[in-house]
Amino acid sequence: MSRSQRLLTLIQILRRHRFPVAGTVLAQELGITLRTLYRDIGTLKEQGANIEGAAGLGFVLHPGFMLPPLMFSEDEIEALVLGSRWVAERADERLGQAARNALDKISAVLPSGLRDEMDASALLIGPSASPLPADIVQPLIRKAIRAERKAEIVYTDLKGEQSCRTIWPFALGYFDDARVLVAWCELREGFRHFRSDRISTFTVAQERYPRRRQALLRAWRLQEGISPQ
């Protein structure tokens, strides 16, 4: 691992922790000596990183420091390209275009060698067995999730029965054969899953729902037995 890559990795490790991390833990994760770690910490401070702490006490990175995204490993580049290609092929047109734009922005700031690696990535997305029809409600769903607002929907279940509901949308799952909205349903007083292609109308309300999105997501994962990511 080059020193520039090591400094970037050190920043990423510190960002994962809200509380001070012992120097021995950082050094072990990076595979370096404590002396090298202290030297790297000093270098990052000189570059403007607001790292607080000292030997024996641990280190914490305060928000606000950004390194230019110039260094990625080959695996990281392949992950970025593959993920963006999947979104471009499987998501709605607006999100797909956003994925293509993001790749263009990343490519523009990469050194020429890494840019060539990105352009030459051989990981491809295969055709879907059953392509999904255009789904006009997905952008509205994402808007409601980001704003943590209630929504009024008209939904048709598997039996063909239609109902009007007030929901608290907080997650959207992307599968090859469906897009599934996860929400708290006021009608059923519990978590429910709604296929987006069965939502005929989706109206974002002005009222925010009373719990934070992260809290709803944690409670839903606990109920479903899903480990936190």
Side-chain angles (χ1 to χ4, degrees):
M1 181 188 299
S2 66
R3 186 161 190 259
S4 59
Q5 180 65 44
R6 190 174 72 238
L7 292 174
L8 180 59
T9 302
L10 176 55
I11 285 291
Q12 292 171 334
I13 294 172
L14 288 170
R15 281 181 177 149
R16 295 203 306 262
H17 299 274
R18 295 183 180 180
F19 303 100
V21 188
T24 52
V25 174
L26 295 172
Q28 183 178 9
E29 187 162 351
L30 291 166
I32 58 177
T33 65
L34 273 174
R35 182 177 180 181
T36 300
L37 173 72
Y38 298 150
R39 187 166 60 246
D40 288 350
I41 292 286
T43 298
L44 290 174
K45 286 183 175 180
E46 291 174 358
Q47 294 178 359
N50 186 6
I51 299 175
E52 183 178 339
L57 299 176
F59 299 91
V60 62
L61 173 67
H62 294 287
F65 180 67
M66 295 292 293
L67 283 176
L70 297 179
M71 296 302 298
F72 291 102
S73 68
E74 291 180 354
D75 286 342
E76 288 169 340
I77 288 177
E78 288 186 334
L80 286 169
V81 173
L82 183 63
S84 297
R85 285 175 176 172
W86 192 95
V87 172
E89 291 292 328
R90 299 287 197 269
D92 60 90
E93 178 56 31
R94 183 170 177 177
L95 198 59
Q97 186 59 53
R100 289 186 284 269
N101 291 344
L103 269 187
D104 289 342
K105 290 179 180 179
I106 293 172
S107 178
V109 297
L110 286 174
S112 59
L114 292 180
R115 188 181 306 121
D116 292 342
E117 289 285 345
M118 175 177 283
D119 294 339
S121 176
L123 301 185
L124 307 175
I125 300 297
S128 175
S130 53
L132 296 175
D135 189 338
I136 61 173
V137 302
Q138 285 185 52
L140 293 174
I141 292 174
R142 294 198 303 274
K143 177 182 178 181
I145 291 174
R146 285 194 297 264
E148 298 184 346
R149 296 192 183 280
K150 294 184 179 183
E152 306 290 338
I153 67 170
V154 176
Y155 187 73
T156 304
D157 63 20
L158 292 175
K159 298 179 181 179
E161 298 178 355
Q162 201 172 74
S163 61
C164 299
R165 305 173 184 233
T166 299
I167 62 172
W168 310 350
F170 61 87
L172 183 60
Y174 286 79
F175 302 88
D176 278 342
D177 59 350
R179 305 293 175 258
V180 179
L181 169 62
V182 187
W184 177 271
C185 176
E186 292 188 356
L187 177 65
R188 302 302 183 191
E189 296 185 343
F191 294 116
R192 289 294 185 270
H193 305 117
F194 304 95
R195 284 182 52 141
S196 64
D197 59 327
R198 294 182 175 275
I199 300 174
S200 54
T201 65
F202 188 99
T203 304
V204 181
Q206 292 299 314
E207 182 182 2
R208 293 173 63 97
Y209 42 75
R211 298 177 65 185
R212 297 306 305 270
R213 181 176 67 246
Q214 293 90 336
L216 289 169
L217 192 57
R218 283 195 298 269
W220 171 75
R221 282 175 171 160
L222 182 63
Q223 176 180 291
E224 297 295 318
I226 300 174
S227 300
Q229 298 179 351

